C-alpha cells in the first residue's frame, strides 16, 4: 500500500463499482459462481477494483455508499426520472446483499438513506468530513456527475477502462480538461439533460451548445439575464423550456444534507485477516485474499 502522507477518506460509489464489475465479466459470457450456484462475479470484480484503488491512493478511512432502492425525492419531482433503466440482471440481484456482507467483513461501513441515492450520501459525507475534520476526501466512481462535488479538499477519482486506470479530478484538472468549475457541471446538465437518468433539459440543446453557453455566461442565471444576446433559435428553445430547465438542474444537483453519519473511528481502515479470509473462503474466492495480501493469522 502507498505510504499515507495525510489522513484521507475514500468514499466508494458502491452502485457504480458493482455494476461496472458485473458487466466487465458478464460481457465475456462467464459468470463466476460458487459450487452451490450462487453468482459472485460482481462481488469478485468489485473487490478487485476497490482494493486496487486502496493500494493506489492509500486512504486511512473508507466508507461505501449505496442506493437503497424504492422511491427517491427525484422520482417524486419528476415521475420519468430513471424511467428508462432496465431491471438489474437476475445474476446481479443476489450480489447486492452479498457485497455488503463482504464490505462488513472488511470493517467498512455500508451507508445509504431511504429516499436518496448513493450520490447524495457521498455528497453529504464529503461535505461533513471536509468541513468538520482534517480529512481530505476522495470519491471512487465512474459517474461524471460527481465532478460537481470537487473542491480544494475533495477529489473525484473516475475509473476508466481496465484495472488501475484512473483520472483524478481536482479544481485545476477539471478546469484544464473541461474548462468548467464544479458548480457549472450542474448548469450543464440543466441545459443538456441526462439521457441515462431520463430527464431532457432544454429540448434541442446538446452538450456543445450547453458548454458554449455556460462558458460564455457563467451560469444558467447568467444565460437568462442575457437572453437578448443569444441567437433567436437558442433563445426560443430556452424560453419554451424554462420549467424543464430549472427542474433538470434540480434533478442534476447532488443533495448534501442527507440524514447519514459515520464516526471517524467507525470508518478507519482496519482489516481483521481471519474475518476477511473466512468470508472469502465461504464465497470460494480464497485466492482474492491472497491477492490482497491477507493471510490467515
Amino acid at each position: 500500500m502507498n505510504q499515507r502522507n495525510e489522513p484521507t477518506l475514500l468514499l466508494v460509489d458502491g452502485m457504480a463499482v458493482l455494476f461496472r464489475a458485473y458487466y466487465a465479466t458478464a460481457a465475456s459470457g462467464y459468470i463466476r459462481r460458487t459450487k452451490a450456484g450462487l453468482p459472485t462475479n460482481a462481488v469478485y470484480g468489485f473487490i478487485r477494483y476497490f482494493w486496487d484503488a486502496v493500494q493506489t491512493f492509500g486512504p486511512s478511512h473508507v466508507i461505501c455508499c449505496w442506493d437503497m432502492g424504492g422511491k427517491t425525492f427525484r422520482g417524486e419531482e419528476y415521475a420519468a426520472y430513471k424511467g428508462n433503466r432496465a431491471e438489474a440482471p437476475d445474476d446481479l440481484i443476489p450480489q447486492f446483499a452479498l457485497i455488503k456482507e463482504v464490505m462488513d467483513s472488511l470493517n467498512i461501513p455500508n451507508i445509504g438513506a431511504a429516499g436518496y441515492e448513493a450520490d447524495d450520501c457521498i455528497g453529504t459525507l464529503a461535505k461533513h468530513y471536509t468541513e468538520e475534520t482534517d480529512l481530505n476526501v476522495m470519491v471512487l466512481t465512474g459517474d461524471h456527475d460527481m465532478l460537481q462535488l470537487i473542491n480544494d479538499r475533495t477529489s473525484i477519482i473516475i475509473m476508466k477502462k481496465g484495472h488501475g486506470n484512473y483520472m483524478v479530478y481536482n479544481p485545476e484538472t477539471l478546469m484544464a480538461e473541461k474548462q468548467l468549475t464544479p458548480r457549472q457541471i450542474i448548469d450543464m446538465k440543466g441545459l443538456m439533460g441526462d439521457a441515462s437518468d431520463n430527464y431532457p433539459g432544454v429540448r434541442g440543446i446538446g452538450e456543445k451548445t450547453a458548454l458554449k453557453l455556460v462558458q460564455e455566461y457563467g451560469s444558467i442565471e447568467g444565460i437568462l439575464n442575457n437572453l437578448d444576446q443569444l441567437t433567436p433559435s437558442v433563445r426560443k428553445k430556452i424560453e419554451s423550456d424554462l420549467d424543464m430547465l430549472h427542474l433538470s438542474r434540480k434533478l442534476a444537483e447532488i443533495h448534501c444534507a442527507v440524514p447519514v453519519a459515520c464516526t471517524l473511528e467507525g470508518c478507519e481502515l482496519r482489516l481483521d485477516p481471519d474475518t476477511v479470509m473466512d468470508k472469502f473462503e465461504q464465497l470460494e474466492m480464497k485466492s482474492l485474499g491472497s491477492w490482497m495480501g491477507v493471510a490467515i493469522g
Side-chain angles (χ1 to χ4, degrees):
M1 186 182 298
N2 289 353
Q3 281 295 108
R4 295 171 182 161
N5 298 319
E6 54 193 18
T8 304
L9 169 65
L10 181 68
L11 293 171
V12 180
D13 182 352
M15 304 306 294
V17 180
L18 191 68
F19 273 91
R20 174 179 289 255
Y22 177 82
Y23 286 110
T25 51
S28 71
Y30 170 70
I31 301 288
R32 185 187 183 98
R33 300 177 190 278
T34 64
K35 291 187 181 73
L38 180 67
T40 58
N41 67 312
V43 171
Y44 186 92
F46 183 106
I47 296 300
R48 289 288 304 261
Y49 283 130
F50 164 68
W51 197 249
D52 184 89
V54 168
Q55 296 281 77
T56 301
F57 299 104
S60 54
H61 297 71
V62 180
I63 298 172
C64 194
C65 294
W66 302 96
D67 292 351
M68 300 297 284
K71 288 187 176 178
T72 68
F73 77 95
R74 291 183 182 86
E76 300 285 345
E77 292 275 355
Y78 183 56
Y81 180 73
K82 290 193 175 178
N84 57 342
R85 296 280 179 100
E87 292 293 315
D90 289 345
D91 282 330
L92 178 56
I93 291 170
Q95 299 186 71
F96 287 120
L98 209 53
I99 187 58
K100 290 181 183 177
E101 292 177 17
V102 173
M103 296 307 267
D104 283 340
S105 78
L106 297 171
N107 275 328
I108 292 166
N110 292 298
I111 299 281
Y116 298 95
E117 297 177 59
D119 299 26
D120 304 307
C121 298
I122 287 170
T124 299
L125 293 168
K127 184 173 189 289
H128 168 75
Y129 279 102
T130 53
E131 290 180 355
E132 305 294 332
T133 77
D134 293 332
L135 290 182
N136 287 322
V137 170
M138 301 188 92
V139 177
L140 180 68
T141 186
D143 184 356
H144 285 74
D145 290 355
M146 294 283 198
L147 298 176
Q148 65 185 268
L149 298 177
I150 290 170
N151 58 39
D152 290 338
R153 300 272 307 282
T154 302
S155 304
I156 307 297
I157 306 165
I158 295 289
M159 302 168 68
K160 298 175 86 71
K161 194 169 183 180
H163 278 275
N165 191 11
Y166 308 102
M167 177 65 193
V168 181
Y169 287 96
N170 55 35
E172 293 72 35
T173 54
L174 180 64
M175 181 57 68
E177 182 175 301
K178 299 184 182 292
Q179 291 78 56
L180 292 169
T181 65
R183 183 76 202 174
Q184 288 173 327
I185 298 288
I186 307 169
D187 290 321
M188 283 282 294
K189 300 301 279 292
L191 286 161
M192 62 184 274
D194 186 321
S196 69
D197 285 341
N198 204 42
Y199 59 87
V202 176
R203 283 167 295 186
I205 289 188
E207 183 173 6
K208 192 173 175 182
T209 303
L211 182 61
K212 183 172 181 288
L213 290 170
V214 170
Q215 287 174 341
E216 189 161 348
Y217 298 104
S219 65
I220 284 173
E221 285 70 29
I223 295 164
L224 296 180
N225 288 336
N226 289 280
L227 285 174
D228 58 332
Q229 305 290 318
L230 307 183
T231 66
S233 169
V234 170
R235 177 176 180 170
K236 185 178 180 185
K237 287 171 183 172
I238 291 174
E239 288 180 331
S240 299
D241 244 348
L242 270 179
D243 288 346
M244 186 51 76
L245 170 62
H246 291 302
L247 177 57
S248 292
R249 180 166 65 168
K250 190 174 182 182
L251 295 172
E253 184 167 6
I254 292 173
H255 189 83
C256 294
V258 175
V260 292
C262 183
T263 65
L264 265 180
E265 298 76 18
C267 61
E268 188 174 349
L269 183 58
R270 289 192 309 261
L271 301 190
D272 176 67
D274 288 355
T275 306
V276 175
M277 288 304 293
D278 283 350
K279 192 65 187 175
F280 285 164
E281 285 183 343
Q282 179 190 332
L283 296 176
E284 298 167 24
M285 49 178 73
K286 188 176 176 182
S287 63
L288 203 50
S290 305
W291 174 77
M292 287 173 62
V294 176
I296 294 177

